[in-house]
Amino acid sequence: MATKNIMIVGVGGQGSLLASKLLGRLLVDEGFDVKVSEVHGMSQRGGSVVTYVRFGDRVCSPVIEEGEADFIVSFEKIEAARYISNLRKDGTVIVNTQQIDPMPVIIGNAVYPENILDEMTGKGVHVDAIDALELASQAGSAKACNIVLMGRLAKYFDIPYEKWEFAIEKCVKPSFIDINKEAFRLGYYS
Amino acid sequence: MKKLMIGNAALARGLYEAGCSLISSYPGTPSTEITEEFAKFDDTYCEWAPNEKVATETAFGASLRGKRSACCMKHVGLNVAADPLFTMSYTGVNAGMVICVADDPGMHSSQNEQDSRHYAVAAKVPMLEPADSQEALDFAKIAYEISEQFDTPVFIKMCTRVAHSQSIVETGERIEAEKVYEKNPRKYIMAPANAIARHPFVEERTAKLTEYAESSAVNSVEKGDGSHDFGIITSSTSYQYVKEVFGDSVSVLKLGMVNPLPVKLIRDFASDNKTVYVIEELDPIIETHCKSIGVNVIGKEKFSILGEFSQKTIAKAFGLAEKENVSLDTAIPVRPPMMCAGCPHRGMYYVLAKNKITVLGDIGCYTLGSMPPLNALDMTLCMGASVSGIHGFNKAGGSETEHKTVCVIGDSTFMHSGVTGLINIAYNQSNSTVIILDNSITGMTGHQQNPTTGLNIKGDPAGKVNLESLCRSVGINSVRVVDPYNLEECEKAVLEELAKDEPSVIISRRPCVLLKYVKPKKPLHINKDKCRGCKRCMKFGCPAISFRDGHAVIDNTLCIGCGVCAGLCPFDAFESEVE
């Protein structure tokens, strides 16, 4: 199988680590060669963060370059736009509609682009936008946004639902399994 | 067992399986997880040292006693450890010793882009360079074999993309390794007479290691399918990018050992290929070596000396078609990292910025105080340089600078190398004001304990340095502690200490809000009837406060209820929820 590429992007502190851990676990269990690459350190402090997940028969590079991503899963609206050049021509963006103002916007040096998702759609991008924060809150924790988005991503794969649930059980603390399974379900079926 | 592991975790596993009994390190991105992962093993010893020099010498001591040991650091940490390094090359080791160093091409979390391979060449110490997690594990074992066979410390060099990329690893079992300690002054006392006798050994060892590099499996030639008339010499993550672009079609000489470099192997590879490219991130180490042995290669003229590579770098250099992608017309505002909502550093920075004080900074989360809107810093150089720097600044500036200049340094950085600067201030008497931003943790690297926290790497009780006593004992008479959430108290302390004609220390103390034991309070909210849109709160630079439709707005997913902003508002518009 040709290598598939998923980018997980968001704001430092939003929980992309758990999302990539879940994907990694699942894809290794499915027998793929897998590479997951992320950057630690300074960028985690509220900055823009990106994780690359690549899987297939044989994966060499740990990073995803321009025009290579099959999916961009974005925890925040403009973060999807920031990395759009990495999306392949007919790729899919799964995006949480939450808006988090970056500091230049907060202090009035820049404007938050309001209609960015429409512009993406206009450029032929398949945009799958959901209010993951609301769905996560319904599931019992605003922090479960990451798993809501994984639920949405799962719809695009042939991997059985139970395998995703199994990966959730292996990746989250026992006391959070139920909340995360519900968050996953809401993302999947919304 | 097959597992997905980051390179650093795989390296820790490899060190463990190879029988490493002791690791001493100072945290630094992207090296930190090697030590953190090793600390999870129960039957070995692991610690955070105050700095990399101490860590390296501790590991040396363990090797001398007969236990396999290691120390881990980021590239700039190796500068601190350089003193023992160069002479350990002469003494060699007893039990094997490994120095893990992680470079940061692209400077994701670093102040420079130095190439650690220069140290291996300069100190005449062998260096292995893994290209993925499995190699990180395997090379740890090879490193100990080389270390004991050739009587030398051995480097394992990581880079961000190997250190922080997860790939599949097959783990194994631990072996135990121990040597007897025997007194051997001519080997271990590097006084001139012994060192003179020892230097030829170092040169002979390099010659033997070069022989090893010619035939060892760590360096390998992968034959292409004949579709290209060129070959590529590469190592580390660059190897992965080459394979991503060319698959198995091109001939590759993959170097797992980047010091010393082979001669015959490279010459033979060059004679089998019409043109040879050297693809290496940062400095032209391999390229220079090739040219020095008369092999004509193409390197930095085609592949940048700056930043990280990727498959795109390689494809572009060889003129391959770019991939189709999407671009938007709207400009996306940048999202730089910033201090967290509720960060205790912010209060002190607000006071310093408000009073237009010159601030010499240091390395840590608090370097982010340089960002708008606070713009509070004038200088950041390296670990500890704020304290030594202000001494020189004030000696040069005298009364013109000493009453309006401070330096800021974190608790962990102060322990690392700030205290020696403070001793200089006390000894040579500059009228300097040092602010220790004590958030009770090593923050930026992800919460490591340090000598001031009272806990060790495993979170168990440990010795605790009392900062107030330490500062007084080195000769600073004016030492005071403030709470950075109390802006009035901070301002009073800063202005009073600056006015004094003696050196002083202000300890700005409050734990990092990301620490688990720091419980957030309920978020504040804005009373829109009271808010007049004056934007004074926007000067504070808290990510939880933004401005919409003429009023301040608080993001209740970010606000931790520290309440410092409430004190800034002249109209009392910030209100706490009634608990």
Side-chain angles (χ1 to χ4, degrees):
Chain A
M1 190 194 90
T3 302
K4 287 267 179 201
N5 298 311
I6 304 166
M7 282 174 69
I8 303 170
V9 303
V11 179
Q14 278 192 303
S16 59
L17 218 62
L18 177 61
S20 62
K21 188 177 167 192
L22 174 74
L23 274 178
R25 169 86 203 204
L26 175 87
L27 296 167
V28 171
D29 285 353
E30 288 295 293
F32 292 110
D33 187 19
V34 182
K35 280 194 176 162
V36 178
S37 186
E38 59 220 357
V39 171
H40 304 201
M42 185 171 263
S43 60
Q44 287 179 306
R45 299 276 170 265
S48 173
V49 292
V50 55
T51 304
Y52 306 112
V53 180
R54 312 190 72 217
F55 66 102
D57 294 335
R58 178 192 178 190
V59 180
C60 295
S61 169
V63 302
I64 298 170
E65 259 293 354
E66 282 183 2
E68 293 182 344
D70 298 284
F71 295 92
I72 293 178
V73 179
S74 181
F75 288 42
E76 199 272 352
K77 238 181 349 182
I78 58 166
E79 291 312 307
R82 188 182 313 285
Y83 296 100
I84 202 72
S85 65
N86 287 55
L87 195 70
R88 68 174 164 82
K89 196 76 184 155
D90 50 355
T92 297
V93 169
I94 296 167
V95 55
N96 177 16
T97 51
Q98 189 181 356
Q99 170 174 341
I100 302 173
D101 288 350
M103 193 49 75
V105 171
I106 289 178
I107 61 176
N109 288 348
V111 177
Y112 193 97
E114 297 292 339
N115 302 315
I116 202 75
L117 298 184
D118 293 340
E119 188 183 339
M120 274 187 223
T121 308
K123 297 268 180 178
V125 175
H126 175 228
V127 177
D128 187 353
I130 56 171
D131 188 345
L133 188 60
E134 168 60 26
L135 294 173
S137 302
Q138 277 180 35
S141 167
K143 285 185 180 164
C145 266
N146 47 11
I147 303 299
V148 172
L149 290 165
M150 288 298 104
R152 192 56 157 230
L153 178 69
K155 285 176 77 166
Y156 294 87
F157 288 84
D158 288 334
I159 300 167
Y161 192 95
E162 305 76 50
K163 297 274 185 76
W164 289 85
E165 283 202 317
F166 180 74
I168 291 172
E169 286 167 16
K170 294 291 164 198
C171 290
V172 305
K173 282 184 187 160
S175 54
F176 294 111
I177 290 174
D178 288 344
I179 287 177
N180 280 297
K181 277 188 177 173
E182 177 62 6
F184 185 84
R185 192 188 67 80
L186 288 171
Y188 193 92
Y189 288 109
S190 66
Chain B
M1 195 179 117
K2 281 193 170 178
K3 280 174 82 173
L4 204 54
M5 290 171 108
I6 59 167
N8 282 348
L11 177 50
R13 178 78 207 177
L15 295 168
Y16 175 77
E17 288 180 12
C20 177
S21 295
L22 176 145
I23 290 186
S24 183
S25 304
Y26 185 79
T29 313
S31 71
T32 311
E33 301 84 359
I34 310 167
T35 309
E36 287 186 320
E37 290 294 326
F38 193 82
K40 292 175 185 170
F41 300 118
D42 286 329
D43 45 353
T44 54
Y45 178 76
C46 192
E47 66 177 23
W48 291 125
N51 67 34
E52 295 85 353
K53 174 173 148 62
V54 174
T56 302
E57 291 155 354
T58 300
F60 175 75
S63 157
L64 184 67
R65 172 56 185 82
K67 296 284 181 81
R68 286 187 171 183
S69 67
C71 53
C72 314
M73 61 204 70
K74 68 183 295 175
H75 59 324
V76 286
L78 186 54
N79 301 333
V80 180
D83 197 0
L85 168 70
F86 278 74
T87 307
M88 278 159 45
S89 175
Y90 280 40
T91 61
V93 300
N94 183 18
M97 177 174 162
V98 172
I99 303 166
C100 304
V101 58
D103 284 11
D104 189 15
M107 292 178 275
H108 296 280
S109 198
S110 301
Q111 67 270 38
N112 77 25
E113 209 169 21
Q114 71 185 48
D115 190 327
S116 293
R117 294 177 298 170
H118 289 293
Y119 274 103
V121 176
K124 302 174 185 187
V125 166
M127 176 178 266
L128 301 176
E129 192 174 35
D132 62 19
S133 298
Q134 184 67 57
E135 281 194 356
L137 188 150
D138 295 340
F139 282 14
K141 297 177 180 180
I142 296 169
Y144 280 113
E145 285 166 16
I146 294 173
S147 177
E148 291 180 2
Q149 185 186 337
F150 293 92
D151 191 10
T152 178
V154 177
F155 276 117
I156 295 182
K157 192 211 132 195
M158 306 291 274
C159 66
T160 298
R161 289 298 171 194
V162 176
H164 287 163
S165 291
Q166 303 175 47
S167 58
I168 295 172
V169 171
E170 180 98 49
T171 60
E173 296 299 318
R174 175 175 167 87
I175 58 148
E176 293 298 336
E178 186 163 358
K179 296 218 165 187
V180 177
Y181 169 68
E182 285 172 40
K183 187 164 178 164
N184 188 348
R186 290 168 67 166
K187 182 170 179 337
Y188 293 120
I189 299 177
M190 282 301 98
N194 293 339
I196 289 165
R198 198 71 189 162
H199 189 179
F201 161 80
V202 174
E203 301 305 325
E204 284 159 24
R205 182 181 69 201
T206 299
K208 285 180 188 161
L209 281 161
T210 306
E211 279 303 306
Y212 174 90
E214 303 288 0
S215 55
S216 163
V218 292
N219 296 329
S220 60
V221 174
E222 298 171 10
K223 281 262 183 217
D225 62 10
S227 59
H228 305 282
D229 63 357
F230 59 87
I232 294 171
I233 303 177
T234 187
S235 71
S236 184
T237 191
S238 298
Y239 165 79
Q240 304 292 359
Y241 305 140
V242 167
K243 297 303 270 189
E244 185 72 31
V245 171
F246 291 107
D248 295 328
S249 70
V250 72
S251 290
V252 173
L253 169 54
K254 179 186 178 297
L255 297 171
M257 185 161 166
V258 290
N259 188 61
L261 287 161
V263 176
K264 186 171 179 296
L265 191 63
I266 289 173
R267 284 189 179 139
D268 289 350
F269 183 77
S271 66
D272 288 346
N273 293 281
K274 197 172 159 213
T275 311
V276 174
Y277 295 93
V278 172
I279 305 181
E280 56 187 324
E281 286 181 333
L282 303 182
D283 294 344
I285 307 271
I286 300 171
E287 179 185 346
T288 304
H289 170 75
C290 289
K291 288 176 175 168
S292 78
I293 59 167
V295 173
N296 192 24
V297 295
I298 299 169
K300 289 297 158 191
E301 60 199 274
K302 219 168 170 65
F303 300 94
S304 178
I305 205 163
L306 311 172
E308 284 192 302
F309 291 171
S310 70
Q311 55 268 38
K312 188 185 159 195
T313 318
I314 315 292
K316 209 172 164 188
F318 285 98
L320 304 174
E322 286 182 30
K323 292 178 176 157
E324 270 195 292
N325 66 351
V326 185
S327 62
L328 301 174
D329 305 322
T330 306
I332 307 300
V334 295
R335 190 186 295 278
M338 56 196 168
M339 291 184 291
C340 306
C343 176
H345 301 323
R346 185 176 284 105
M348 182 53 84
Y349 276 134
Y350 179 80
V351 165
L352 297 174
K354 183 186 163 200
N355 289 284
K356 298 191 169 53
I357 289 164
T358 301
V359 182
L360 307 190
D362 224 293
I363 305 285
C365 281
Y366 49 93
T367 310
L368 295 169
S370 62
M371 306 293 283
L374 290 164
N375 302 308
L377 289 179
D378 290 74
M379 182 281 277
T380 295
L381 182 66
C382 66
M383 297 285 286
S386 64
V387 188
S388 336
I390 194 176
H391 176 72
F393 197 78
N394 284 338
K395 282 288 178 192
S399 59
E400 271 183 41
T401 62
E402 58 193 22
H403 297 298
K404 51 184 180 189
T405 307
V406 301
C407 74
V408 293
I409 182 167
D411 46 320
S412 187
T413 311
F414 183 73
M415 282 291 108
H416 180 282
S417 46
V419 66
T420 38
L422 188 68
I423 289 169
N424 196 34
I425 287 174
Y427 169 46
N428 286 308
Q429 287 291 302
S430 68
N431 183 13
S432 296
T433 302
V434 174
I435 300 178
I436 302 175
L437 300 171
D438 177 10
N439 66 349
S440 309
I441 203 72
T442 314
M444 180 62 85
T445 45
H447 282 186
Q448 290 73 35
Q449 304 297 339
N450 70 54
T452 69
T453 66
L455 298 170
N456 66 19
I457 191 169
K458 296 201 182 220
D460 296 328
K464 181 176 164 70
V465 171
N466 181 304
L467 283 172
E468 297 91 308
S469 306
L470 175 63
C471 295
R472 286 196 185 99
S473 72
V474 303
I476 307 293
N477 296 318
S478 183
V479 179
R480 65 203 274 182
V481 181
V482 298
D483 177 0
Y485 276 4
N486 186 335
L487 299 181
E488 270 178 43
E489 184 190 15
C490 285
E491 189 161 23
K492 187 168 180 285
V494 167
L495 297 180
E496 282 176 7
E497 296 307 323
L498 278 172
K500 285 181 186 168
D501 284 320
E502 63 170 333
S504 49
V505 170
I506 300 170
I507 300 167
S508 174
R509 179 171 289 151
R510 184 171 269 276
C512 171
V513 292
L514 298 181
L515 283 165
K516 284 210 170 72
Y517 66 81
V518 177
K519 297 293 174 208
K521 291 184 190 164
K522 287 196 173 171
L524 272 62
H525 63 269
I526 301 288
N527 183 332
K528 282 195 178 172
D529 296 334
K530 290 186 179 172
C531 175
R532 301 208 196 153
C534 73
K535 292 194 179 178
R536 182 181 287 193
C537 55
M538 306 311 293
K539 289 182 184 163
F540 194 46
C542 176
I545 311 171
S546 53
F547 198 78
R548 277 189 205 139
D549 305 326
H551 296 287
V553 185
I554 291 180
D555 181 336
N556 61 12
T557 64
L558 291 177
C559 177
I560 63 135
C562 75
V564 180
C565 54
L568 297 173
C569 180
F571 309 108
D572 297 326
F574 288 79
E575 294 180 350
S576 313
E577 217 167 290
V578 183
E579 307 236 355

